[in-house]
Amino acid sequence: MLVFPMLWAGFVFGLLGSFHCVGMCGAIALALPGQPGSPADRGRWPFLRGRLLYHAGRISTYAGLGALAGLAGHGLRLAGWQQSLSIASGLLILLLIAAPARYSGRLADALGLAALLRWVQATLADLFRRPSGAALYGTGLLNGLLPCGLVYLALAGALSAPGVLGAAAYMACFGLGTLPLLLSLSLTGRLVPVAWRSRLRRVVPYAATTLALLFVVRGLGLGIPYLSPRLQPLAGAPAPAHLPRTVHYCR
């Protein structure tokens, strides 16, 4: 099974991609309500708790989106497209890497999400005026819905995760990977120097390409344990046409 390798892949992808997140979402993390009055106050528990609630909201949304992607993938696997889905996920990630970043917003428009995004932005503005823990958690929940090419890349991988819970766990690990850098930003109020951020963001396409190749190799069913096993069809799914139905697959 590839459950644990996939979870690690999601975490590492989130960790490397968090340098992209600093540029895209760093302003939100720095502008969160409830900022303490002096640098000495930054270690106080209420301040830390609020930042943890915000990031917990983000990760909750990622996990929920992952569950939806896993549900879609589960339906495709029931149709007997398990290995093809893994290959398609890898190819979709490669396509998203090649697409210019400016198309992230256009993708949301193409999916009919423009009205939803306007509501998210208006609600975020309202939550920013409330320094409560619930408002900070809600801010994180809504922040996870904002257009983000990195999240789209992760969701493309979640499509071929093993089951709905596996896809949710994969996206939660992706969110946890983004946590160290973004939480540090929330607590210290300092951005990574632009020069370093620019260098480290160059790693993201390579990490995404590695993830894409992992899904493609997995879908090929080369019989390599843990990396590319011959996937067993789900109950009720048709066996691959080129193999006898009596063949038993090993995980």
Side-chain angles (χ1 to χ4, degrees):
M1 294 180 66
L2 283 181
V3 176
F4 290 110
M6 281 193 65
L7 296 183
W8 274 110
F11 178 82
V12 172
F13 183 53
L15 185 65
L16 296 174
S18 60
F19 294 96
H20 166 87
C21 297
V22 166
M24 299 299 293
C25 303
I28 295 179
L30 289 172
L32 290 173
Q35 293 284 1
S38 67
D41 291 334
R42 293 187 185 276
R44 291 184 176 177
W45 167 242
F47 179 72
L48 175 60
R49 182 178 68 91
R51 270 62 201 155
L52 289 173
L53 284 171
Y54 163 73
H55 291 292
R58 281 195 314 110
I59 296 170
S60 298
T61 295
Y62 295 155
L65 293 174
L68 292 176
L71 187 62
H74 181 73
L76 292 172
R77 285 192 293 275
L78 282 176
W81 296 350
Q82 188 173 12
Q83 291 184 229
S84 299
L85 177 61
S86 185
I87 295 173
S89 295
L91 295 177
L92 179 58
I93 291 174
L94 293 174
L95 178 62
L96 289 170
I97 294 171
R102 65 177 179 271
Y103 288 124
S104 294
R106 296 183 184 181
L107 177 59
D109 291 339
L111 294 174
L113 300 178
L116 173 62
L117 291 177
R118 285 194 295 270
W119 175 82
V120 167
Q121 292 167 348
T123 307
L124 278 174
D126 181 60
L127 289 174
F128 261 73
R129 293 190 287 269
R130 307 177 193 176
S132 68
L136 286 166
Y137 181 74
T139 299
L141 285 174
L142 293 177
N143 183 45
L145 295 175
L146 294 175
C148 176
L150 192 71
V151 174
Y152 297 156
L153 286 171
L155 285 172
L159 279 171
S160 62
V164 175
L165 291 179
Y170 167 81
M171 287 300 295
C173 286
F174 163 78
L176 287 172
T178 67
L179 182 61
L181 183 59
L182 289 180
L183 179 60
S184 297
L185 174 64
S186 299
L187 295 177
T188 64
R190 294 181 180 180
L191 289 167
V192 178
V194 175
W196 276 99
R197 194 163 72 238
S198 177
R199 293 191 189 111
L200 292 169
R201 284 179 64 179
R202 294 175 190 168
V203 178
V204 175
Y206 296 102
T209 299
T210 301
L211 184 65
L213 294 177
L214 172 66
F215 286 121
V216 171
V217 172
R218 176 183 182 241
L220 292 175
L222 301 176
I224 304 173
Y226 301 106
L227 178 62
S228 184
R230 291 189 176 91
L231 301 176
Q232 183 177 3
L234 297 177
H242 64 282
L243 293 174
R245 291 185 180 272
T246 55
V247 171
H248 296 282
Y249 295 91
C250 60
R251 290 187 180 272

